[in-house]
């Protein structure tokens, strides 16, 4: 009987610069290079380097780590980063991606209080996607919860599969916080899945972003399904390491996340030797 051999799928494994917080964007490039990540996703936020295209290009060139994706500044803490106009933020994110050679811009759905932006969001994302080869991959979010109360903070919906987008980002930690079935969400996204934020969770009301394998989310199953489907987008490790007691402990967590991801991407794809 022919012995199976592992075939590594085309998906690249990247490190989100958010995964090293409270350390800097520059530190994320150093760690990604040292651990052997295929690239980085730049979270554009209050770190000035994350907003500076020339500085990012120098970091990428120096460490030989490509920038695979740009996460637009969609968080509450980045309301004034790259303008207060959300469409200008997305235009600048697209321009940054084009200049840096990144294939994807990750974007969150609007907050409900951004009423005009929310009304125009689905059509506006299509218009922007038609103007570039860069993918605008809209990310699933979650309801905000406090004790027994739930607030729907995103519009048109936190579950982005309810609307028509060309590309999606699936985030397993967000699915956990939403108490949604990540595999069913993956099925609904289908071939429009363009990007993955890999992290774990235990269904807490707080967005946990645990190292994959440390929670209850189907991280391994999702990776194996991606491999079998021939997924060729990016799998981005986006985990919370703020509780790490040292830089060495943070780096160990990120090494564990990378090993987990590559193991399960490879273990699902076997072809027989001839």
């Amino acid at each position: 009987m022919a012995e199976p051999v592992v075939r590594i799928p085309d998906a690249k494994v990247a490190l989100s610069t958010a995964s090293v917080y409270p350390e800097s964007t520059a530190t994320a490039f150093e760690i990604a290079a040292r651990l052997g990540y295929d690239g980085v996703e730049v979270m554009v936020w209050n770190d000035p380097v994350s907003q500076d295209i020339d500085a990012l290009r120098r970091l990428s060139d120096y460490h030989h780590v490509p920038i695979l994706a740009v996460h637009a500044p969609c968080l509450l803490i980045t309301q004034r980063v790259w303008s207060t106009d959300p469409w200008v933020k997305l235009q600048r994110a697209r321009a940054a991606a084009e200049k840096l050679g990144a294939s994807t811009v990750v974007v969150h759905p609007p907050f409900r209080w951004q009423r005009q932006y929310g009304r125009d969001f689905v059509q506006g994302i299509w218009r922007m996607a038609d103007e570039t080869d860069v993918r605008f991959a809209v990310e699933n979010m979650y309801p905000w919860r406090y004790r027994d109360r739930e607030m729907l903070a995103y519009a048109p919906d936190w579950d982005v599969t309810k609307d028509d987008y060309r590309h999606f980002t699936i985030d397993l930690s967000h699915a956990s916080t939403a108490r949604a079935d990540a595999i069913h969400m993956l099925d609904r996204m289908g071939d429009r899945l363009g990007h993955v934020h890999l992290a774990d969770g235990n269904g807490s009301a707080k967005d946990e972003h645990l190292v994959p394998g440390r929670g209850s989310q189907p991280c391994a199953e999702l990776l194996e399904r991606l491999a079998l489907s021939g997924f060729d987008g990016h799998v981005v490790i986006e985990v919370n390491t703020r509780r790490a007691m040292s830089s060495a402990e943070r780096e160990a967590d990120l090494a564990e996340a990378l090993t987990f991801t590559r193991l399960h991407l490879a273990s699902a794809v076997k072809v027989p030797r001839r």
Side-chain angles (χ1 to χ4, degrees):
M1 181 181 292
E3 244 182 67
V5 296
V6 172
R7 183 185 70 206
I8 306 299
D10 293 333
K12 293 183 178 179
V13 183
L15 177 65
S16 168
T17 60
S19 295
V20 306
Y21 182 83
E23 296 196 61
S24 67
T25 300
T27 299
F29 279 85
E30 294 172 16
I31 292 174
R34 194 155 49 238
L35 296 180
Y37 277 83
D38 297 318
V40 300
E41 174 179 304
V42 173
M43 170 69 80
V44 180
W45 55 1
N46 296 332
D47 180 348
V49 171
S50 75
Q51 305 168 32
D52 186 329
I53 293 170
D54 290 334
L56 292 169
R57 185 183 290 114
R58 287 194 295 271
L59 283 169
S60 177
D61 291 345
Y62 179 79
H63 292 288
H64 304 288
V65 173
I67 297 170
L68 302 179
V70 173
H71 195 309
C74 305
L75 305 174
L76 283 173
I77 63 170
T78 60
Q79 291 183 82
R80 296 187 177 277
V81 172
W82 281 358
S83 173
T84 56
D85 183 329
W87 290 114
V88 172
K89 291 174 184 283
L90 295 190
Q91 289 163 2
R92 291 191 64 173
R94 179 190 67 193
E98 290 171 342
K99 291 175 182 176
L100 294 167
S103 64
T104 304
V105 168
V106 179
V107 56
H108 293 179
F111 294 111
R112 294 189 76 85
W113 54 84
Q114 295 175 302
R115 293 182 181 177
Q116 187 60 48
Y117 180 44
R119 279 194 292 270
D120 298 339
F121 185 69
V122 178
Q123 294 78 12
I125 289 293
W126 273 99
R127 285 195 300 271
M128 293 191 74
D130 285 339
E131 296 169 354
T132 180
D133 291 332
V134 173
R135 293 177 173 182
F136 280 88
V138 186
E139 183 174 5
N140 61 296
M141 298 305 292
Y142 47 84
W144 290 2
R145 293 190 179 91
Y146 178 70
R147 295 182 180 174
D148 59 345
R149 295 186 179 182
E150 184 174 287
M151 173 185 172
L152 299 179
Y154 298 96
D157 204 286
W158 65 263
D159 182 353
V160 294
T161 64
K162 293 182 179 179
D163 292 289
D164 182 26
Y165 299 109
R166 183 173 292 171
H167 292 108
F168 294 110
T169 296
I170 190 168
D171 185 304
L172 272 75
S173 179
H174 293 176
S176 175
T177 304
R179 297 166 190 167
D181 187 314
I183 297 300
H184 287 172
M185 184 173 287
L186 181 72
D187 290 339
R188 292 195 300 275
M189 290 180 176
D191 60 8
R192 290 184 292 171
L193 176 69
H195 202 67
V196 175
H197 280 171
L198 191 68
D200 219 327
N202 285 310
S204 168
K206 295 182 179 180
D207 187 16
E208 296 172 284
H209 284 275
L210 304 177
V211 170
R214 296 186 185 178
S216 59
Q217 289 303 291
C219 296
E221 180 183 351
L222 182 136
L223 290 170
E224 290 165 5
R225 288 184 58 154
L226 291 180
L228 290 170
S229 70
F231 178 71
D232 61 355
H234 307 318
V235 178
V236 177
I237 303 300
E238 191 185 70
V239 296
N240 183 346
T241 62
R242 280 176 287 183
R243 292 187 178 181
M245 300 301 292
S246 65
S247 295
E249 184 177 330
R250 173 172 292 109
E251 192 162 326
D253 285 346
L254 299 176
E256 178 184 331
L258 177 61
T259 299
F260 179 99
T261 303
R262 287 202 169 132
L263 172 66
H264 290 287
L265 276 175
S267 64
V269 184
K270 295 184 177 180
V271 292
R273 293 183 188 274
R274 293 185 177 181

